[in-house]
RNA sequence: GGGCGAUUAGCUCAGUUGGCUAGAGCGUUCGGAUCACACCCGAAAGGUCGGGGGUUCAAGUCCCUUAUCGCCCACCA
């Protein structure tokens, strides 16, 4: 017997073999020259820092489903795998290791050595991630595995940076960044977490100075130079007598106070204050606008300005100290007032390590917490501290170093977003890029719509080094001259130079797009530059900069490769919703920019809209992907997001060990709904590994498939002679069950197609489950058991069984590839041709992964057949039901008489009486219209046919059963009568519904009457 | 504070444009070692669809409101 298959499906014994077979057959490998419609998915590259968890498992399972389906559809399909170098996260991990094992910092070993160590680390952990994907069954084209820091990606990064620089979209600027004083790097907003900290709100007196004599600060000078205009034209005259009395700082003389009070949680930052802001509509303070205060401890004079955005008069004292260099809101004030009459200064008081610098005067060198203590002490001594009130606030901390972040003014590189964002917004608005579910587009549009400039420099060593060399010159003229000379010697188009002015200093910045196109004699351009005193920027790029290029950089861009021509735009991106902004939006921007012929940008929304409307067919070739499908978030048992940083991630390999890869995949796929996140309680095994009962669902399904296949294979083998002399089978030769099964099969394939086309993975898994377990196993297989033993009947049944199994395996292969592939080989051994000519086409294939997707003839879908079969099912269930209620022994054959409602029903039931007898363990006495009820028989019904079962002796059980049915009917009748009694219903509801209700009522009444 | 989502059986979730006596799996109860499968088979119990309004002939489904939970964004000196 060919079914030496074990009774229970053992994933471990087949998975490795199947996977190796696919690899050996190069089944994952794609060639752009091959025929077939392009289908491409690029993997969301997992961070090299961590092992994969179940969140990755669901994401990659869904991708694998689509790519396997596409392959079976005959598309030229490729799935590009890869890993992200994850800048700060990776460097932090290796630095931590360095500290723990060797007690060294990165400065001890230097840039090159550290980067070398990170590469070693990457090798080890990157391989682990790839092997996890392989255990999961991912059919990635491993020959095309990329790393965001490899040479191919680096080339794309340099080229992109260069183009952006040349187009003026990259600029250098001083910005307030989130500064990690420990790692001494800027970090992005998403790398910050907030902690509640109990501190104080200190209220500090700032004395008001009448007049402006004695002031010497720049801002005042500038204002004087500009003619001493009134700072705030909206200032109402004679304020101060307003109805709100000032509780604080009322001076002895007159009605006006001689000082104002500000409140702060960070008193040490007052050393960098450059203004005090009030609301122009606040009568308590608006009279003071334009005056000055003497900043305590430093004795600098700083202006009182109006800023209605910053200051909420209802909050606190109504006066806000402004420290532009150390607070994001205050920085915004500085920006708002730049170039205006009341522009203010910007003073940085911190060093990059978080200590106070020379601008902090006598506090220089102190750490920020010490400085704070000292400032409070000194203010207290001077009697300027009004109040110290307990206060709880949230302080941002670095995700990596766990230390408090500091808003810090620093030189950074930025990408100017607006011109890139407009086209990216428009392609989504116009539906060239579609989100699934659609609502996620909102987040994308909202975020991108802000067009906030993108800070791309990171003070790290691990990453793409910024391809800029710079040198300072004494004067603008000198710098300009050098620029001109350089432009002569730079024949190559791939380099650009620009003059940069900062704080009155002049720099020449040179961006090298392609360092290799220098003079062949003198060598690389960078070498020449460095010889001339230019130095390369020490910073590296934000990881997202390289990730943003992923859909084209992985395919070889900027080279015009066959891969790129074939597979970009890619077909669909599947990702988690938390990186819609950081990643998805940027990919859309950069693909449009890089792949568009003329590095297209748009200054206005209108311009973008017009261009895209007019040239849709062209633009559609420049998007990175046509669809973005968002997969659910995996939560742990407590409902918290599974993530590496939280440490609650579960390794999919542990689940695969206990349940099998297919069970994991199938279960996760049923959970991939559009709305719900997936809550996955896990439990610890004695050996410390995790597992979860949730995956029993998938494991059971696989086991069912395994055993149904064992049954089918054993029976097909014995029917083999019949199969090989197979003659054409006509629909008319088939039994009701055969035709029903084929109808259900065809319907299921259609539903699966629709589900996958709309990224409803849960629907796909669901229809597979229903068809295979419920229809195929529970009904069809049970019905054909005796048929298969009769050679005459088996001549029809066996081919149908073989075809149905063949199609089922194809249908389910994308979600459960290992088990279906393994069974496929066995099926190939037993029956070579499973086609039913004209009905089911089943082209032979050695490997299922390369087989054709099922395409049973649509004409097989037959509502009439399905309805007739339902009558058969209901009849059987009704008899089983009564048997169970009466506790009839399973083996006891009961006598049944069926009084059919009409001739067609009688005909169906009569034709299938053997099936009824078999599945309901009964003997049919009579099946005909209006058959008389035998004496002492219990009555039940199905499809309005009366079913009489003789020999039921449990009177109590019967009484109960009848009573319950009577109650149900009474309820139903009341509902239906109510509906029909409603004049509106009769008048307005569609006639077929009214008719249906009337019929239901009549049937219910008739049944009740018979009870 | 703004945006999005969720709330349906003990648990985890489906429920397509409003039109069923609201479904599934697990769990529970009853019956079963039947020769594909006990990771199984047959059957049953279990829900006024978070609360309150409204629209409609008809609401789990649409609108308003409210409560609770989750996520994203912006964050109060």
């Amino acid at each position: 017997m060919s079914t030496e298959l074990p009774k229970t499906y053992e994933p471990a014994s087949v998975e490795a073999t199947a996977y190796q077979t696919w690899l050996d057959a190069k089944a994952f490998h794609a060639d752009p020259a091959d025929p077939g419609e392009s289908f491409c998915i690029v993997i969301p590259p997992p961070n090299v820092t961590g092992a994969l968890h179940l969140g990755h498992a669901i994401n990659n399972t869904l991708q694998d489903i689509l790519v396997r389906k596409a392959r079976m559809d005959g598309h030229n399909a490729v799935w590009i795998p890869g890993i992200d170098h994850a800048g700060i996260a990776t460097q932090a991990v290796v630095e931590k290791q360095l500290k723990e094992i060797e007690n060294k910092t990165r400065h001890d070993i230097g840039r090159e050595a550290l980067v070398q160590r990170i590469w070693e680390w990457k090798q080890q952990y990157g391989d682990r991630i790839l092997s996890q994907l392989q255990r999961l069954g991912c059919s990635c084209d491993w020959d095309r595995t990329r790393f965001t820091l490899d040479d191919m990606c680096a080339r794309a990064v340099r080229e992109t940076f260069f183009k952006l620089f040349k187009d003026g979209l990259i600029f250098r600027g001083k910005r307030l960044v989130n500064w990690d004083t420990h790692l001494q790097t800027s970090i992005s907003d998403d790398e910050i977490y907030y902690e509640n900290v109990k501190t104080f709100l200190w209220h500090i007196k700032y004395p008001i100075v009448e007049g402006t004599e004695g002031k010497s600060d720049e801002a005042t000078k500038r204002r004087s130079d500009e003619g001493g205009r009134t700072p705030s034209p909206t200032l109402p005259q004679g304020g101060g007598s307003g109805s709100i009395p000032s509780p604080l700082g009322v001076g002895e003389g007159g009605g006006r106070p001689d000082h104002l009070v500000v409140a702060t949680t960070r008193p040490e930052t007052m050393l960098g204050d450059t203004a005090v802001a009030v609301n122009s509509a606040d009568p308590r303070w608006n009279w003071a606008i334009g005056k000055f205060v003497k900043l305590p401890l430093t004795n600098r004079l700083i202006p009182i300005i109006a800023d209605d955005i910053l200051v909420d008069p209802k909050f606190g004292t109504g006066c806000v100290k402004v420290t532009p260099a150390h607070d994001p809101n205050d920085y915004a004030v500085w920006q708002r007032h730049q170039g205006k009459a009341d522009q203010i200064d910007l003073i940085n008081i911190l060093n990059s390590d978080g200590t106070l610098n020379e601008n902090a005067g006598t506090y220089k060198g102190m750490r920020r917490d010490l400085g704070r203590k000292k400032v409070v002490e000194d203010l207290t001594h001077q009697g300027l501290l009004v109040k110290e009130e307990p206060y709880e606030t949230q302080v941002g901390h670095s995700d990596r170093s766990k230390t408090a972040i500091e808003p810090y003014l620093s030189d950074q590189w930025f990408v100017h977003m607006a011109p890139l964002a407009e086209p990216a917004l428009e392609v989504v608005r116009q539906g060239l890029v579609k989100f699934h579910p659609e609502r996620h587009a909102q987040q994308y549009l909202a975020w991108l719509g802000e067009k906030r400039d993108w800070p791309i420099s990171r003070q790290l060593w691990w990453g793409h080094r910024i391809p800029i060399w710079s040198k300072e010159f004494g004067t603008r003229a000198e710098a300009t001259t050098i620029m001109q000379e350089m432009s002569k010697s730079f024949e190559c188009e791939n380099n650009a130079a620009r003059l940069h002015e900062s704080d009155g200093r002049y720099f020449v910045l040179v961006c090298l797009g392609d360092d290799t196109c220098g003079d062949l004699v003198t060598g690389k351009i960078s070498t020449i530059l460095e010889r001339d005193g230019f130095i390369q920027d020490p910073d590296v790029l934000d990881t997202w900069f390289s990730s943003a290029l992923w859909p084209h950089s992985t395919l070889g861009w900027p080279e015009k490769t066959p891969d790129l021509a074939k597979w970009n735009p890619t077909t669909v991106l599947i990702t988690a919703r938390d990186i819609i902004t950081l990643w998805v939006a940027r990919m859309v921007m950069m693909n449009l920019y890089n792949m568009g012929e003329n590095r297209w940008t748009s200054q206005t929304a209108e311009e973008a809209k017009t261009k895209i409307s007019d040239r849709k067919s062209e633009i559609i070739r420049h998007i990175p992907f046509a669809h973005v499908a968002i997969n659910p978030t995996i939560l742990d048992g407590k409902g918290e997001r599974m993530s590496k940083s939280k440490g609650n991630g579960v390794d999919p390999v542990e689940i695969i060990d206990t349940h099998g890869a297919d069970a994991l995949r199938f279960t996760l796929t049923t959970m991939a709904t559009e709305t719900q996140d997936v809550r996955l309680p896990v439990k610890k095994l004695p050996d410390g590994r995790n597992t979860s009962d949730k995956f029993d669902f998938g494991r059971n399904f696989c086991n069912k498939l395994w055993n149904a296949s064992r049954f089918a294979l054993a029976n097909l083998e014995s029917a083999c002679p019949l199969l090989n002399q197979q003659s054409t089978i006509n629909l008319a030769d088939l039994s009701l069950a055969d035709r029903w099964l084929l109808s259900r099969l065809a319907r299921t394939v259609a539903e699966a197609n629709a589900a996958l086309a709309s990224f409803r993975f849960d629907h796909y898994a669901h229809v597979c489950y229903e068809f295979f377990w419920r229809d195929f196993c529970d009904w069809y297989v049970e019905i054909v058991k005796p048929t298969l033993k009769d050679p005459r009947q088996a001549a029809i049944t066996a081919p149908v069984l073989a075809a149905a199994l063949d199609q089922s395996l194809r249908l389910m292969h994308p979600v459960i590839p290992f088990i279906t592939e393994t069974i496929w080989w066995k099926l190939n051994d037993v029956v070579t041709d499973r086609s039913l000519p004209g009905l089911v086409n089943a082209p032979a294939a050695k490997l299922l992964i390369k087989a054709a997707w099922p395409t049973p003839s649509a004409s097989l879908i037959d509502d009439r057949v399905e309805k007739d079969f339902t009558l058969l099912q209901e009849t059987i269930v009704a008899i089983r039901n009564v048997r169970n209620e009466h506790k009839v022994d399973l083996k006891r054959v009961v006598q049944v008489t069926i009084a059919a409602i009409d001739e067609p029903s009688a005909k169906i039931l009569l034709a299938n009486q053997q099936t009824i007898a078999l599945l309901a363990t009964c003997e049919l006495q009579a099946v005909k219209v209006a058959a008389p009820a035998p004496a002492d028989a219990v009555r039940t019904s199905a499809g309005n046919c009366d079913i009489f079962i003789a020999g039921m002796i449990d009177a109590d059980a019967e009484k109960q059963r009848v009573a319950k049915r009577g109650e149900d009917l009474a309820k139903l009748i009341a509902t239906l009568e109510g509906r029909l009694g409603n004049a509106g219903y009769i008048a307005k509801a569609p006639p077929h519904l009214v008719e249906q209700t009337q019929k239901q009522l009549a049937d219910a009444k008739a049944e009740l009457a018979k009870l």
Side-chain angles (χ1 to χ4, degrees), chain A residues 64 418 462 577 895 945 966:
Chain A
D64 198 39
W462 175 243
R577 64 172 178 268
Q895 301 301 314
C945 298

Side-chain angles (χ1 to χ4, degrees), chain A residues 607-682:
Chain A
E607 187 188 327
K609 187 177 173 184
T610 309
K611 171 147 178 188
I612 293 173
S613 304
D614 293 351
R615 297 159 71 180
K616 210 165 237 178
S617 60
E618 179 194 341
I619 304 292
I620 210 158
R621 286 185 281 116
H622 304 154
I623 57 176
F625 27 70
H627 302 278
V628 180
I630 301 299
N631 63 252
T633 305
I634 304 283
L635 312 174
D636 66 10
K638 284 180 271 180
E640 291 187 27
R641 196 181 128 74
M642 204 171 271
S643 76
K644 174 172 42 68
S645 52
K646 276 188 180 160
N648 60 351
V650 172
D651 185 347
V653 170
E654 293 181 1
I655 305 292
I656 292 170
D657 287 342
T658 56
H659 287 76
D662 289 330
L664 172 69
R665 294 168 59 113
F666 193 76
T667 308
L668 289 175
T669 303
T670 60
M671 291 170 160
T673 67
E674 283 198 325
T675 50
Q676 291 289 96
D677 285 337
V678 176
R679 192 179 275 228
L680 267 180
V682 292

Side-chain angles (χ1 to χ4, degrees), chain A residues 411-657:
Chain A
D411 285 323
Q412 300 291 331
W413 290 98
F414 290 85
V415 173
H416 187 38
M417 283 284 275
L420 296 166
E422 294 293 2
L425 284 162
E426 203 52 38
V427 291
V428 168
R429 288 197 197 107
Q430 296 199 26
L432 274 59
V433 175
K434 286 196 183 68
F435 280 82
H436 307 270
E438 263 179 69
R439 69 185 129 89
H440 290 296
Q442 287 177 46
Q443 200 184 331
Y444 172 100
L445 293 172
W447 184 83
L448 211 46
E450 290 181 26
K451 295 164 208 159
R452 282 198 265 176
D453 290 338
W454 174 16
I456 49 169
S457 43
R458 293 296 127 99
Q459 290 66 48
L460 289 173
W461 290 349
W462 175 243
H464 293 282
R465 187 102 177 243
I466 290 177
I468 295 271
W469 279 257
S470 70
K471 186 179 177 183
E472 186 176 355
F473 292 90
T475 62
R476 180 192 291 269
E478 196 183 337
T480 310
T481 309
I482 295 291
M483 285 265 299
Q484 282 161 356
E485 276 177 27
M486 288 179 68
S487 65
K488 276 181 218 148
S489 60
F490 274 28
E491 292 304 320
C492 177
E493 279 186 2
N494 288 318
N495 307 302
R498 195 194 299 160
L499 187 71
H500 174 67
E501 185 185 341
S502 171
D503 297 335
R505 297 160 70 188
Y506 300 94
F507 299 86
V508 170
L509 305 178
V510 179
C511 180
L512 300 187
D514 185 353
D515 197 9
T516 60
C517 80
D519 188 319
L520 287 175
V521 181
T522 47
K524 288 171 134 193
I525 295 175
S526 60
T527 314
I528 303 168
L529 285 170
E530 282 165 16
R531 201 185 55 210
D532 288 349
F534 279 77
I535 47 174
Q536 186 174 7
D537 195 294
D539 289 359
V540 300
L541 289 163
D542 179 10
T543 311
W544 295 111
F545 191 92
S546 47
S547 314
L549 313 180
W550 196 239
H552 52 280
S553 66
T554 50
L555 295 170
W557 185 89
E559 297 297 327
K560 289 186 168 24
T561 63
D563 283 16
L564 190 69
K566 182 72 186 176
W567 289 307
N568 185 286
T570 67
T571 312
V572 53
L573 176 82
I574 303 186
T575 189
R577 64 172 178 268
D578 55 337
I579 48 176
I580 288 173
T581 54
L582 297 174
W583 191 43
V584 179
R586 284 166 179 165
M587 281 192 286
V588 176
M589 281 190 336
M590 296 320 296
N591 214 82
L592 286 169
Y593 179 73
N594 278 342
M595 298 299 291
E597 276 96 32
N598 299 310
R599 310 204 297 254
W600 173 49
T601 58
S602 271
Q603 291 302 328
T604 65
E606 197 49 44
E607 187 188 327
K609 187 177 173 184
T610 309
K611 171 147 178 188
I612 293 173
S613 304
D614 293 351
R615 297 159 71 180
K616 210 165 237 178
S617 60
E618 179 194 341
I619 304 292
I620 210 158
R621 286 185 281 116
H622 304 154
I623 57 176
F625 27 70
H627 302 278
V628 180
I630 301 299
N631 63 252
T633 305
I634 304 283
L635 312 174
D636 66 10
K638 284 180 271 180
E640 291 187 27
R641 196 181 128 74
M642 204 171 271
S643 76
K644 174 172 42 68
S645 52
K646 276 188 180 160
N648 60 351
V650 172
D651 185 347
V653 170
E654 293 181 1
I655 305 292
I656 292 170
D657 287 342

Side-chain angles (χ1 to χ4, degrees), chain A residues 105-252:
Chain A
T105 69
R106 67 173 144 140
H107 301 289
D108 294 334
I109 66 169
R111 185 165 191 149
E112 261 179 56
L114 183 81
V115 169
Q116 180 53 37
R117 281 180 194 243
I118 303 175
W119 273 108
E120 286 161 13
W121 195 90
K122 177 260 164 189
Q123 203 53 49
Q124 184 184 348
Y125 287 86
D127 286 353
R128 176 174 176 193
I129 288 170
L130 298 183
S131 85
Q132 282 179 305
L133 289 172
Q134 295 184 346
R135 284 294 304 275
L136 194 61
C138 295
S139 60
C140 304
D141 188 346
W142 301 111
D143 299 341
R144 289 189 162 81
T145 306
R146 299 256 65 86
F147 182 54
T148 52
L149 205 53
D150 66 21
D151 290 342
M152 194 189 270
C153 292
R155 172 85 201 279
V157 163
R158 277 198 312 271
E159 177 75 11
T160 304
F161 189 99
F162 170 73
K163 292 199 312 173
L164 289 167
F165 184 82
K166 198 167 178 178
D167 288 347
L169 294 174
I170 279 186
F171 63 94
R172 186 145 177 84
K174 275 204 191 306
R175 289 294 170 111
L176 209 54
V177 296
N178 306 305
W179 191 258
D180 183 326
T181 57
H182 181 74
L183 293 171
Q184 301 208 20
T185 178
S186 65
I187 61 174
S188 64
D189 291 344
D190 54 291
E191 289 164 323
I192 297 172
Y193 67 95
Y194 289 87
E195 256 182 23
N196 282 322
V197 173
K198 284 199 171 99
T199 174
F200 296 93
L201 196 58
W202 285 276
H203 295 248
I204 307 166
K205 256 190 217 180
Y206 282 13
I208 297 173
V209 180
E210 291 292 338
T212 58
E213 63 280 358
K215 68 195 181 324
S216 60
D217 56 290
E218 290 275 302
T220 319
K221 254 191 224 152
R222 270 199 295 274
R223 185 164 33 255
S224 306
D225 295 344
E226 284 158 15
R229 278 169 287 160
T230 310
S232 172
T234 59
L235 192 152
Q237 292 303 307
S241 57
S243 55
I244 308 173
S246 170
L248 304 158
V250 176
E252 287 92 40

